[in-house]
Amino acid sequence: MAVRRQVLGDAHVDRASAQMTEFDADFQTFITEGAWGSVWARPHFSKRERSIVTIALLAALGQDEEVAMHVRATRNTGATKDDIREALLHVAVYAGVPAANHAFKIVKKTFEEMDKAEAQ
């Protein structure tokens, strides 16, 4: 849970926890233990590197909401706009131009929302 909070931020994790029900409690535990406790906590990649890889994979899979969530998480991981642009160029080559094109739209919109929120 500590790594999940470091990457996604307390507000996001608190919202997700508040929305948890008996129906999805096991799934939330699985995510926390598997993704955050096992993979994200491994020492070989930095959080920045994991962030870049995660955004590329999610973009390739067309997971719009997850792409946006992980772009917002770059505030905490240190991945830059340049890092994300390079990752999406890899998506274009290895997963297809349409996937990358769509991801660029999602990322641009997310950055605009982040910039607007930061300015307020």
Side-chain angles (χ1 to χ4, degrees), residues 1-2 40 63 80-81 90 103 112:
M1 188 59 82
W40 274 83
Q63 298 297 313
T80 66
K81 288 182 178 183
H90 275 270
E112 287 172 11

Side-chain angles (χ1 to χ4, degrees), residues 96 111 115:
F111 278 139
D115 290 345

Side-chain angles (χ1 to χ4, degrees), residues 11-25 28:
H12 175 85
V13 175
D14 290 345
R15 276 192 310 276
S17 296
Q19 294 173 359
M20 185 171 54
T21 66
E22 184 180 331
F23 179 74
D24 68 342
Q28 290 297 322

Side-chain angles (χ1 to χ4, degrees), residues 45-65:
F45 277 178
S46 67
K47 286 185 178 51
R48 175 184 160 267
E49 291 165 325
R50 287 195 192 283
S51 188
I52 295 164
V53 169
T54 300
I55 290 168
L57 289 166
L58 293 169
L61 293 169
Q63 298 297 313
D64 302 352
E65 290 179 23

Side-chain angles (χ1 to χ4, degrees), residues 83-114:
D83 292 333
I84 295 170
R85 180 180 50 240
E86 293 301 316
L88 295 182
L89 288 171
H90 275 270
V91 170
V93 170
Y94 293 101
V97 170
N101 186 47
H102 186 69
F104 268 106
K105 290 175 188 173
I106 300 299
V107 171
K108 285 169 48 177
K109 180 181 179 201
T110 304
F111 278 139
E112 287 172 11
E113 291 168 355
M114 290 169 66

